[in-house]
Amino acid sequence: MTPCSGRRVSTLLPEPARRTAAWCVVLLLVAGVAAVAIWLFVTFKTAVTPVLLATLGTALLGPVYRWLLKMKVQRSLAAGLTCAVVVAVVGGAMYIVARALIDTGDQIITSLKQAADDLSKYFGAAGTSLDDMASNAKDLLGKFGGSAASGVISGLSVVGEMIAMAVLALLLVFFFLRDSDRALGAMRSLAPRGTADVVEAMGRRAFEAVEGFMRGTTFIALIDAICITVGLLILRVPGAWGLGALVFIGAYIPYLGAFISGAVAILVALADRGVLIALWALGVVLAVQVLEGHVLQPVIQSRTVQMHPAVVMLAITAGASVAGILGMLLAVPVTAAAFGVYSELRARYAAGSVSSTGSAGSAGSVGSAASEGASEGPSEGPGTPS
């Protein structure tokens, strides 16, 4: 009686409908987990943000730390020296960028206003809007940066919070570098029984994706900034160093950052040097973008997770809606890590399916294939010294 009723229930829906229902349940579960994760990030952003920034810093500085270990430097000292290098390099870069923007900021804003005046003659309201935006640029930046501050005390608290997060992120970079091997062991111990190899492989793949993104993006941003700055200096566009600094910063926001910084450079060239020089500046920006898209990206980031531009734009939009500019900066590496985990799971699932077919229907072949794939993975983790 019971087997018959079970057969009737199993044939109640056709196979495609059951598969669709199963996938809907999976998508709902994934969406629910993602919603809870975003809620936790927004609620505890003061604690989560330093962890994410420290992860990006660890991914970028891992080679320096491992090189110091190969030079027989003690682990804690190597991590401390790496953090000192971070403070020196980041502090120097911030000083150079800020100095360039301060020295040429007024000139850039004046040029933008002049470009707006020229554009308003041909495009009317569009040029007027650009003129208003350029005229009120400092006020807009002040309101954007201090939207949470209603007074001096509140503004100081915002600055203090940012400094505290930066210091916490730096300390976390030190511990992440020094205790990377312990973190791997802790991850394996916390994994459910029989899944330690899979969890380790997913963690390695996610970190490799973030590491490749940070290294590649930094190198590409440096090349873009140098090329555009040299081009603008040759064209004698005012504020070339500040515009180059904007290009370097904007490169960490794929597509959108390059578009905004390139557009500013072209408008400044149009205002001070005329239409012909603006066209040459447009040619320089387009040439650099072609170089990045067809040479730098395939060569430098060929070993990282490749994402479609539409996915990148959606990730940036989602990150901006969750955490503003910080969310835009973190959206792409987080998405790259998620794609890395997905790629690892997909490869293991395919390997398990092939192994199951070749082992005459062995029930444990999928799990054994996953374990074998983990043992055949890279023996050296992204943050673990050999």
Side-chain angles (χ1 to χ4, degrees):
M1 188 70 178
T2 303
C4 295
S5 61
R7 291 193 188 97
R8 292 194 187 96
V9 172
S10 63
T11 58
L12 183 61
L13 292 175
E15 181 67 18
R18 291 201 299 271
R19 289 179 177 272
T20 302
W23 277 109
C24 289
V25 171
V26 171
L27 291 176
L28 287 175
L29 288 175
V30 172
V33 171
V36 172
I38 292 174
W39 177 79
L40 290 174
F41 173 80
V42 174
T43 304
F44 302 101
K45 62 180 180 180
T46 305
V48 175
T49 300
V51 174
L52 295 177
L53 294 176
T55 303
L56 298 182
T58 304
L60 184 62
L61 299 167
V64 178
Y65 174 72
R66 291 193 289 270
W67 178 78
L68 290 174
L69 290 180
K70 290 180 180 179
M71 300 299 292
K72 307 301 182 181
V73 180
Q74 197 267 342
R75 298 179 65 89
S76 298
L77 181 58
L81 290 175
T82 306
C83 291
V85 170
V86 172
V87 173
V89 173
V90 173
M94 291 180 63
Y95 173 79
I96 292 173
V97 171
R99 190 67 184 176
L101 292 177
I102 291 174
D103 291 342
T104 60
D106 293 337
Q107 194 174 14
I108 292 174
I109 292 176
T110 302
S111 300
L112 286 175
K113 292 178 64 177
Q114 181 62 41
D117 294 336
D118 295 337
L119 290 176
S120 62
K121 299 177 182 178
Y122 303 99
F123 299 101
T128 304
S129 300
L130 182 61
D131 186 13
D132 295 338
M133 185 175 66
S135 300
N136 300 318
K138 293 183 178 180
D139 295 337
L140 290 174
L141 290 175
K143 291 179 181 179
F144 182 80
S147 59
S150 58
V152 176
I153 297 178
S154 181
L156 291 176
S157 67
V158 171
V159 174
E161 181 179 343
M162 294 177 61
I163 295 176
M165 286 194 297
V167 173
L168 179 58
L170 184 63
L171 293 175
L172 289 176
V173 168
F174 172 82
F175 290 117
F176 286 176
L177 289 172
R178 191 191 67 176
D179 302 328
S180 56
D181 54 340
R182 298 180 185 178
L184 183 61
M187 185 184 355
R188 292 183 63 89
S189 65
L190 293 175
R193 180 176 299 178
T195 62
D197 291 336
V198 179
V199 172
E200 178 184 347
M202 290 190 300
R204 289 180 185 275
R205 182 65 72 90
F207 197 88
E208 286 172 0
V210 176
E211 191 175 35
F213 171 81
M214 289 301 297
R215 290 189 205 168
T217 302
T218 301
F219 193 51
I220 291 172
L222 183 61
I223 295 176
D224 288 353
I226 291 175
C227 292
I228 290 182
T229 301
V230 170
L232 295 179
L233 287 174
I234 293 175
L235 296 174
R236 292 184 295 173
V237 175
W241 291 104
L243 294 172
L246 286 177
V247 170
F248 180 81
I249 296 173
Y252 284 94
I253 304 177
Y255 305 112
L256 183 61
F259 173 78
I260 294 176
S261 58
V264 172
I266 295 168
L267 288 174
V268 171
L270 174 65
D272 275 52
R273 302 285 293 154
V275 177
L276 182 60
I277 299 299
L279 291 176
W280 277 105
L282 175 61
V284 170
V285 173
L286 292 179
V288 171
Q289 294 305 313
V290 170
L291 175 66
E292 176 184 338
H294 292 81
V295 177
L296 298 179
Q297 288 281 358
V299 172
I300 296 176
Q301 293 187 335
S302 59
R303 295 184 179 182
T304 62
V305 178
Q306 300 296 323
M307 292 182 292
H308 193 275
V311 176
V312 175
M313 294 302 297
L314 289 175
I316 293 174
T317 304
S321 63
V322 171
I325 293 181
L326 183 62
M328 296 172 69
L329 293 173
L330 296 175
V332 179
V334 170
T335 306
F339 267 76
V341 173
Y342 171 75
S343 300
E344 180 68 23
L345 290 176
R346 184 177 180 181
R348 287 176 172 273
Y349 178 78
S353 300
V354 172
S355 176
S356 176
T357 304
S359 62
S362 175
S365 60
V366 174
S368 63
S371 300
E372 293 173 4
S375 63
E376 294 173 0
S379 60
E380 180 180 350
T384 306
S386 58

